[in-house]
Amino acid sequence: MSKEKYPTKESIGKKLGWREIPIGGLITRRASALMNKTGSWRSFRPVIDESKCINCSFCVTHCPDNAVHFKDGKRSPIDLDYCKGCGICASVCPVKCIKMEEETKFKK
Ligand code: SF4
Ligand code: SF4
């Protein structure tokens, strides 16, 4: 078992057990999420039928990109700059009012 605390040249590329994995990390800038417009990857877009939405906020709490918000008891529109089209919101919506549609439908 490796006693190394940090990755070394020798440890890189080796298949290690989980107890042997050296400490890792991610170097990023503070608040960098705002700079990464994850919406540019999207191939499907969530489309909400507003007439059916009950403002339960499930989509807000489950969205991994914080692309939809909740304020004063109401859900915001989806911020398409950051929505990557994962479809989680559509899966969790209890009244099934979110449909994932192909992004190509919206391109001009
Ligand atoms: S599709 Fe994914 S990223 Fe977009 S609003 Fe829904 S949960 Fe968030
Ligand atoms: S999960 Fe569905 S019903 Fe709930 S706030 Fe979102 S869109 Fe509306």
Side-chain angles (χ1 to χ4, degrees):
M1 182 185 298
S2 169
K3 297 276 185 235
E4 294 152 358
K5 199 171 173 193
Y6 301 102
T8 62
K9 256 202 305 200
E10 291 70 37
S11 69
I12 292 169
K14 274 190 185 168
K15 286 187 181 170
L16 302 172
W18 70 270
R19 288 176 192 271
E20 300 167 311
I21 297 171
I23 293 171
L26 179 66
I27 300 170
T28 184
R29 291 166 65 173
R30 199 156 48 129
S32 63
L34 284 174
M35 289 185 282
N36 299 323
K37 295 207 169 174
T38 43
S40 62
W41 313 339
R42 195 177 51 247
S43 52
F44 282 87
R45 176 185 295 205
V47 176
I48 302 178
D49 181 344
E50 297 292 344
S51 68
K52 291 186 185 159
C53 175
I54 56 171
N55 287 299
C56 68
S57 87
F58 279 21
C59 54
V60 176
T61 52
H62 287 79
C63 175
D65 285 274
N66 205 20
V68 57
H69 304 114
F70 204 67
K71 194 175 175 196
D72 300 329
K74 289 207 172 219
R75 172 196 44 77
S76 72
I78 290 173
D79 185 339
L80 294 174
D81 276 349
Y82 298 99
C83 166
K84 66 184 170 203
C86 65
I88 292 173
C89 54
S91 299
V92 298
C93 177
V95 294
K96 299 289 172 218
C97 70
I98 307 177
K99 254 177 68 185
M100 298 304 292
E101 300 211 3
E102 277 197 46
E103 190 62 34
T104 49
K105 272 180 69 178
F106 303 92
K107 298 267 191 253
K108 288 177 187 161

